[in-house]
Amino acid sequence: MKISIIGAGAMGGALAEGLIKGDYIQNEDICVADPSRDCRDHFANLGITATPSNQLAAQGADVVCVVVKPWLVEQVLKGIKDVLDYSRQQLIVVAAGVKSDDIKSWLNKNGEMIPTFLVIPNIAIAQLQSMTFIVPAVAAEPTHTEQIKKLFDSMGHSLITDEGHLAAGTTLASCGIAYAMRYIRAASEGGVELGFKADQAKQIVMQTMRGAVELLEASGLHPEAAIDLVTTPGGVTIKGLNEMEHAGFTSAVIRGLKAGMK
């Protein structure tokens, strides 16, 4: 499978990094297109093809990924429309808020459409740890969907969903990684106040979060059941948890997630 990424900014660059680090796609089958010479040089030095031409990148791929800001999607898609081969290629659009109906109107060729997927990963895809949402949006066959899911499963975990849930998936996982990092920052600052050096506090918090995830995955426990394992009557853990709840911890998380959908 040959794959091209049009737009190698923060998200497109993370996707390219994940493909390079993984073993699902060979480096010689990966291409990025970006107007930035520095960006192209960076990826060329990593052993993949880099070009300033969106059309050239699109022509040579089995899967074309358009990973640009939402307001640029129409311009980019119309710019590559004439070189896309609807009979053999598949299109992935990574841009929050872009609707499949709009893509249809931009790319329709006499009633024909290229198989298209709306995809929302998060930047942890660069480390093969993304939570990715995939919507088979336009003319996608089951075999296409299976292929695209395998691609993103090679860089983390993916979930096939519908377009109506894509905004929720975006705030929960794509925006959510920033929310998790904000907790790490807050807990690290608390660690400094407790007497640890800043780097030590950050490492302690990150390892603690890593341990919590591993424990939940291995045990299958609901988070509250796992919390019960480390809370004793009158103990320091329950006192800390209750103090956080008095300050609105759970409510603040939920409100933040819901705000991300507005």
Side-chain angles (χ1 to χ4, degrees), residues 63-124:
V63 177
V64 179
C65 302
V66 172
V67 193
V68 297
K69 298 298 184 184
W71 56 88
L72 293 175
V73 173
E74 179 180 4
Q75 174 187 332
V76 170
L77 290 180
K78 288 182 175 179
I80 63 173
K81 178 179 179 178
D82 289 342
V83 301
L84 291 175
D85 184 344
Y86 289 14
S87 67
R88 71 168 188 86
Q89 292 180 303
Q90 297 172 61
L91 175 68
I92 290 172
V93 176
V94 180
V98 175
K99 305 299 183 185
S100 60
D101 285 344
D102 290 329
I103 295 172
K104 290 178 187 177
S105 69
W106 299 331
L107 291 184
N108 186 286
K109 290 183 182 179
N110 300 316
E112 297 293 324
M113 268 299 299
I114 186 171
T116 302
F117 294 84
L118 302 179
V119 174
I120 298 292
N122 63 38
I123 59 171

Side-chain angles (χ1 to χ4, degrees), residues 59-259:
Q59 280 179 304
D62 299 304
V63 177
V64 179
C65 302
V66 172
V67 193
V68 297
K69 298 298 184 184
W71 56 88
L72 293 175
V73 173
E74 179 180 4
Q75 174 187 332
V76 170
L77 290 180
K78 288 182 175 179
I80 63 173
K81 178 179 179 178
D82 289 342
V83 301
L84 291 175
D85 184 344
Y86 289 14
S87 67
R88 71 168 188 86
Q89 292 180 303
Q90 297 172 61
L91 175 68
I92 290 172
V93 176
V94 180
V98 175
K99 305 299 183 185
S100 60
D101 285 344
D102 290 329
I103 295 172
K104 290 178 187 177
S105 69
W106 299 331
L107 291 184
N108 186 286
K109 290 183 182 179
N110 300 316
E112 297 293 324
M113 268 299 299
I114 186 171
T116 302
F117 294 84
L118 302 179
V119 174
I120 298 292
N122 63 38
I123 59 171
I125 201 166
Q127 304 301 323
L128 310 182
Q129 291 295 331
S130 178
M131 178 64 237
T132 301
F133 296 87
I134 301 170
V135 176
V138 181
E141 299 291 337
T143 53
H144 297 150
T145 302
E146 181 181 358
Q147 185 181 47
I148 297 303
K149 182 168 174 35
K150 284 181 179 178
L151 172 66
F152 284 98
D153 278 344
S154 73
M155 296 177 285
H157 178 74
S158 70
L159 177 68
I160 304 295
T161 187
D162 57 74
E163 195 165 350
H165 284 86
L166 200 55
T170 299
T171 192
L172 194 59
S174 186
C175 303
I177 198 167
Y179 305 153
M181 289 176 181
R182 180 57 60 88
Y183 170 78
I184 292 173
R185 190 192 79 173
S188 297
E189 290 177 353
V192 173
E193 190 166 336
L194 293 173
F196 291 102
K197 293 182 178 179
D199 286 345
Q200 289 178 321
K202 184 181 75 170
Q203 190 60 45
I204 290 166
V205 174
M206 288 193 301
Q207 182 57 38
T208 301
M209 288 191 70
R210 189 178 294 115
V213 170
E214 294 287 343
L215 177 62
L216 290 174
E217 287 188 340
S219 67
L221 289 171
H222 186 281
E224 202 60 37
I227 288 171
D228 288 343
L229 297 176
V230 292
T231 52
T232 55
V236 294
T237 303
I238 192 61
K239 289 178 181 177
L241 287 170
N242 284 343
E243 192 63 31
M244 291 180 188
E245 289 302 330
H246 291 325
F249 180 80
T250 297
S251 177
V253 171
I254 295 170
R255 289 177 64 185
L257 290 168
K258 292 171 72 175

